[in-house]
Amino acid sequence: MLGVVLDGDVVIDAWERPTPTGSIADDGRAVLEQLTALLGDVLASRPGAEAATIGVGLPGMLGADGVLLAAPNLLSAQGAAIAPRLEEAFGRRVVLANDADCAAIAEAAVGVARMHDDVLLVTLGTGIGGGIIAGGRLLRGGRGYAGEIGHVVIDPGGPQCPCGARGCWEQFASGTALGRLARDAARAGRLAAVLDEAGGDVDAVRGEQVTRAAAAGDAEALVLVEEVAWWLARGLANLVAVLDPTMIVLGGGLATHGELLVDPVRRLLPGMLEGGRSRPGIEVVLAELGPRAGAVGAALLGRGEQ
Amino acid sequence: MLGVVLDGDVVIDAWERPTPTGSIADDGRAVLEQLTALLGDVLASRPGAEAATIGVGLPGMLGADGVLLAAPNLLSAQGAAIAPRLEEAFGRRVVLANDADCAAIAEAAVGVARMHDDVLLVTLGTGIGGGIIAGGRLLRGGRGYAGEIGHVVIDPGGPQCPCGARGCWEQFASGTALGRLARDAARAGRLAAVLDEAGGDVDAVRGEQVTRAAAAGDAEALVLVEEVAWWLARGLANLVAVLDPTMIVLGGGLATHGELLVDPVRRLLPGMLEGGRSRPGIEVVLAELGPRAGAVGAALLGRGEQ
């Protein structure tokens, strides 16, 4: 986890702590311990800032009540009342938001989307996270759970998703999805170069290896990336139908070799939209702020900018 | 088309004109003729209201520029610059919005959703229309096209949609979808009572006949309604993932025998949501304002209430 101090729009100081990865629910104890230590470091560095609100971004479904309702990537803290307990520990206001929401706030305020009021930020990693800026403001939803875009079902007969549904978008267009496609391909005797890199072990094949191979021009890897890009575009078109953003920002691990995904999405998306090519174009770009986007957005949130 | 005058929240006067149904593009001439006559009637009844802004709701994708980009249910006016031409004709400001957006404004301001700030209104008819209230405001999108929820693709291998895509939600959960299911069932020798009502002609079977039969207890019709309700719930769960409303309002022709669809949706929806049954409930209710909702919402829009 990352803590930052902003001066204006610029990160002038940053601290890092390991994110607890335990899967046994401990009512958030391990996560709160790290968060408290991290925030302690941040606050100790700014003795004049007694009254400042703290902004925190966390992965998962964060309610407006500061409780982490569901958090597949922070399992030990699932169900924990994070915000109230941090407020108690620090004696000041603490505002929480989903980390993709924070990244969207940051990209819209000081990043690639700063000229846009209607932005969809999509983080492509293990799953798909989303942050939505609508009319210049973060779309939070009634309980704070908006933007769970990875769980739009795009094929009810598709693979089982850990969320309980079948055929969620993130089962088709995430790093996990690319890894599954790659293992299927390797098992079927294709993707020799990638399989070599994985030491000949099909089960060790990961999405990262495929994007790396595709970036190096491996034709079989490119086919798989193109398939994931088609699903990515299809899911983005769904969200455009609902939200009508003027810019889509792609971030996360799967977007590391950015143009590999961005190019096919730019090519495919216009033809998938209602109103077709007579509809004004939607910019599809890569995130600009990198791994610090979430922390910067949380700091902006703490400053009351959303 | 319907024109209304409000006093506070109450409709004190209403006028009606036939909606042009022609499918030959005439740059909106026929539609503008009827609209101009209707608005002329409305304005003539209120000689003191010279400066009032006019609010107009129309079916289709209405841009923030007042141009009707795509309008499958008002084909002759597709591409027409409606707002600028009405402004010219009446010498006053004219604000336009999609009719489902207007219905959402009305239900959230003076209808069933008036205690809610985050509302999803869904009109189930030939297709599926949507109006989204987020944080107390209409979600318009960057170009005014938000809320085209019927075109979220829910099965890319599904039936062709007139919008150009395959497997749009409205191909599974609209009156049209129920009609297609019913004709398939009748062709397969089922749905005898409904087929009788359609004069024994399979091609004359319509969704309305099925809902009527189901409401009267016809078991075969109930199976079809339940299938449509499953898809309805599935698509609503998708939108809940993105928008997190606290209330879903169902309206339109297919919701006429309301509880028939509302009951199964209430039963199915909670189990389809991420966070499952530990997530706070979402109210699913029928629209309250009926066929006047769109006109009331347009009037509120004209009054500057959104």
Side-chain angles (χ1 to χ4, degrees), chain A residues 142-143 148 153 238 244 274 281, chain B residues 142-143 148 153 238 244 274 281:
Chain A
R143 273 86 178 228
E148 287 289 311
V153 167
N238 279 355
D244 181 33
E274 194 194 4
Chain B
R143 273 83 179 229
E148 287 289 313
V153 167
N238 279 353
D244 181 33
E274 194 195 5

Side-chain angles (χ1 to χ4, degrees), chain A residues 61 69-70 72 118 132 134 139-149 151-156 163 165-166 230-231 234 237-246 272-276 278-283, chain B residues 61 69-70 72 118 132 134 139-149 151-156 163 165-166 230-231 234 237-246 271-276 278-282:
Chain A
M61 290 178 70
L69 182 71
D118 295 273
I132 300 161
L139 188 131
R140 296 170 184 277
R143 273 86 178 228
Y145 305 138
E148 287 289 311
I149 60 176
H151 300 285
V152 172
V153 167
I154 202 166
D155 177 359
C163 83
R166 293 180 71 96
W230 187 89
W231 285 101
R234 186 58 266 169
N238 279 355
L239 292 166
V240 169
V242 179
L243 300 168
D244 181 33
T246 54
M272 290 175 168
L273 301 178
E274 194 194 4
S278 64
R279 182 178 179 137
I282 296 166
E283 284 187 70
Chain B
M61 289 176 71
L69 181 72
D118 295 273
I132 300 161
L139 188 130
R140 297 171 183 275
R143 273 83 179 229
Y145 304 139
E148 287 289 313
I149 59 175
H151 300 285
V152 172
V153 167
I154 201 166
D155 177 359
C163 82
R166 294 181 70 95
W230 186 90
W231 285 101
R234 187 57 266 171
N238 279 353
L239 293 165
V240 169
V242 179
L243 300 167
D244 181 33
T246 55
M272 290 175 168
L273 301 178
E274 194 195 5
S278 65
R279 182 179 179 135
I282 296 167

Side-chain angles (χ1 to χ4, degrees), chain B residues 226-278:
Chain B
E226 183 80 13
E227 183 172 344
V228 167
W230 186 90
W231 285 101
L232 179 56
R234 187 57 266 171
L236 291 174
N238 279 353
L239 293 165
V240 169
V242 179
L243 300 167
D244 181 33
T246 55
M247 177 176 269
I248 294 170
V249 181
L250 301 178
L254 189 59
T256 308
H257 296 278
E259 299 309 316
L260 221 52
L261 279 174
V262 172
D263 284 345
V265 166
R266 281 185 188 138
R267 193 174 69 238
L268 293 165
L269 186 64
M272 290 175 168
L273 301 178
E274 194 195 5
R277 295 185 191 265
S278 65

